[in-house]
Amino acid sequence: MAGKNGYLDSLLTSPSTERYRVGISFLFLFFVFLAVGQISSGMPNSMLLMAAAVIGGYMAINIGANDVANNVGPAVGSGALSLGGAVVIAAIFEAAGAIIAGGDVVSTIKGGIIAADRLEDVSTFVWLMTAALLAGALWLNLATWMGAPVSTTHSIVGGVLGAGIAAGGWGIADWAVMGKIVASWVISPVMGGVLAALFLYAIKKTVLYRQNVVSAARTFVPWLVAIMAWAFGTYLMVKGVKKIVSVDFLGASLVGLALAVVVFIAMRVLVGRRAATMENNAEGVNELFVWPMIFAAALLSFAHGANDVANAIGPLAAINDALSAEAVVTAASIPLWVMLVGAVGLAVGLMLFGPRLIKTVGSEITELDKTRAFCIALSAALTVIIASQLGLPVSSTHIAVGGVFGVGFLREYLKSNYATQLHSIMDSHEGEERERLRPFLEDFRNASVEEMENLLTQAKQKQQVPLSKKERKRLKTIYREEMVKRSHLTRIVAAWIITVPVSACLAAVLFFTLRGFLM
């Protein structure tokens, strides 16, 4: 099995298969073009609808390549899932979420960003939505190539805003809505990061820092997984299955609570059985979170497919309705063929181009184990629930990546704090004891945060030698770089900030270009 996983992982990431992946994506788009041609045969402006469908498919591919990484990246980075296994699970559940629970009606103006009723010309509306869709897709394509996970919602929002202003002037935009979206750039990652860090710290204090880790795990791990079950049960009822059944938050919470009770009982039994052979260390605890992480990746993918597929097919559905009714629409019913373009496009994009961003989120920002990945997934579900009840616009991408940075910065703080304690101990020693410092520092450099308490106890007992101020400063810098990669932080935050402006500018240029060609 390991060999098969390794082959699949290599197939998904090898530069030698790049041309085949590009070729398959073009083949998918060509098939969309032909299929929509058959569906729209005899319809006025069918060629324009066929072109729009190809752009919608291209947008769906880029959503799969960029946004889905946030759902499965932590599971892959922690080792709970192989890259190939994660891609297969996510592709299936993303497509299922889009088709089963994608929603009957999607607002194509994305929350009132522009006043569509000010556009009396149907052709202008169609060009506007086509330019917005293409601009969002191009920006996502560029961001994926740069290795920056960005918000697909913000990409299409920027596209609609820019094309809308180009079509109807500055007064067409709802700047109050845009203000909320700008606020979400800060709200989403901060909420995700803080919650993920708090849960990780709680696990460290209640389980990992205890002398008897196995006993602590038997007590607390079932509660932690039950909280996750409640969060995902509620999240899916509120956000993921609204097409199948509509419930209020109280009803969704009760469904989540019932699921949490079942999961709590199951985890109590599972952890009890594992306790007899479980290692009394962090690795033993990590293994308890493998199945919760697999289910979290699947459920996050299902909910993401149900919600974010609208970013690809909402504008396409609007174009289809506008061309069919020959009138400007603000809400579009989504026919099955449009839903299939989005669902299959998501899966194709994930399988062909998603592994690059999965690796970035899962392993290149900070080192993740299963416990840290569990905290990120739990944080993502809880943040969406809290934000939706407070009426705050948040991005699932920003939440998940914020959670990764949150656990990384917590680890950095703890390790730096322990290093400071070590330095203060060493300050009281000098002379010949300096030589005894070397093996101890080597052990400390390679230690995990959990192992450092034992090393500090040894330091107190053995009275190790101090470091100079310059050496301390350099040592702390090394720790920070090991915990969180600053280059990734800078690149990702920069990409977040410019997503809406870049998409808007691209859309405005594309709108004028399309209008010039088609008039």
Side-chain angles (χ1 to χ4, degrees), residues 50 54 56 88 103 114 136 169 181 197 205 217 245 261 268 277-278 290 317 325 332 337 362 375 458-459 486 507:
M50 292 162 66
V54 170
V88 171
I114 62 171
I181 292 170
K205 295 296 287 185
V245 57
V261 171
R268 283 289 295 268
T277 57
M278 180 177 154
V290 172
W337 71 264
C375 294
Q458 295 174 21
R486 293 316 197 261

Side-chain angles (χ1 to χ4, degrees), residues 448-515:
S448 66
V449 174
E450 291 78 17
E451 295 167 338
M452 285 185 174
E453 283 193 325
N454 292 332
L455 290 174
L456 289 175
T457 301
Q458 295 174 21
K460 292 178 182 178
Q461 294 171 348
K462 296 179 180 179
Q463 295 187 334
Q464 297 290 334
V465 209
L467 295 169
S468 68
K469 288 183 179 180
K470 182 177 180 180
E471 288 171 327
R472 293 176 201 171
K473 185 175 180 180
R474 187 174 66 180
L475 190 60
K476 283 189 177 182
T477 301
I478 292 172
Y479 291 149
R480 288 195 187 99
E481 290 301 323
E482 287 179 345
M483 299 295 99
V484 177
K485 296 292 188 258
R486 293 316 197 261
S487 58
H488 283 77
L489 174 62
T490 303
R491 185 175 73 250
I492 291 171
V493 171
W496 287 354
I497 292 171
I498 66 173
T499 290
V500 170
V502 169
S503 297
C505 291
L506 271 174
V509 171
L510 288 169
F511 172 80
F512 287 123
T513 303
L514 286 172
R515 189 175 67 171

Side-chain angles (χ1 to χ4, degrees), residues 304-362:
H304 180 271
N307 287 278
D308 282 35
V309 69
N311 293 324
I313 62 173
L316 176 57
I319 293 169
N320 177 64
D321 271 21
L323 292 176
S324 300
E326 298 185 352
V328 175
V329 295
T330 57
S333 59
I334 302 181
L336 180 60
W337 71 264
V338 175
M339 191 69 75
L340 286 173
V341 169
V344 178
L346 281 176
V348 169
L350 169 64
M351 298 192 74
L352 297 180
F353 306 108
R356 177 170 184 169
L357 266 295
I358 289 174
K359 288 179 65 178
T360 297
V361 174

Side-chain angles (χ1 to χ4, degrees), residues 54-218:
V54 170
I55 296 173
Y58 175 51
M59 179 66 168
I61 288 175
N62 282 288
I63 293 175
N66 191 292
D67 216 22
V68 180
N70 310 302
N71 303 326
V72 297
V76 173
S78 67
L81 277 170
S82 68
L83 178 60
V87 167
V88 171
I89 288 174
I92 292 171
F93 280 89
E94 285 279 342
I99 294 172
I100 296 171
D104 288 317
V105 178
V106 176
S107 170
T108 60
I109 310 303
K110 304 303 297 178
I113 298 166
I114 62 171
D117 54 1
R118 295 183 58 168
L119 300 171
E120 298 179 359
D121 187 349
V122 176
S123 297
T124 300
F125 178 79
V126 170
W127 298 335
L128 186 159
M129 300 310 296
T130 303
L133 199 55
L134 182 55
L138 288 171
W139 167 243
L140 280 176
N141 202 159
L142 179 60
T144 304
W145 177 77
M146 294 188 302
V150 297
S151 170
T152 55
T153 302
H154 290 178
S155 299
I156 196 65
V157 161
V160 173
L161 177 67
I165 291 173
W170 292 93
I172 199 173
D174 188 331
W175 296 107
V177 172
M178 287 307 303
K180 291 181 180 179
I181 292 170
V182 171
S184 75
W185 295 344
V186 177
I187 294 169
S188 300
V190 169
M191 286 183 70
V194 168
L195 281 177
L198 286 175
F199 277 109
L200 181 59
Y201 186 72
I203 291 174
K204 289 180 180 294
K205 295 296 287 185
T206 58
V207 180
L208 298 178
Y209 289 170
R210 297 294 179 89
Q211 186 173 2
N212 191 336
V213 171
V214 174
S215 175
R218 293 182 66 175

Side-chain angles (χ1 to χ4, degrees), residues 256-273:
L257 182 60
L259 180 61
V261 171
V262 173
V263 169
F264 176 79
I265 295 171
M267 285 301 298
R268 283 289 295 268
V269 174
L270 175 63
V271 177
R273 289 177 179 174

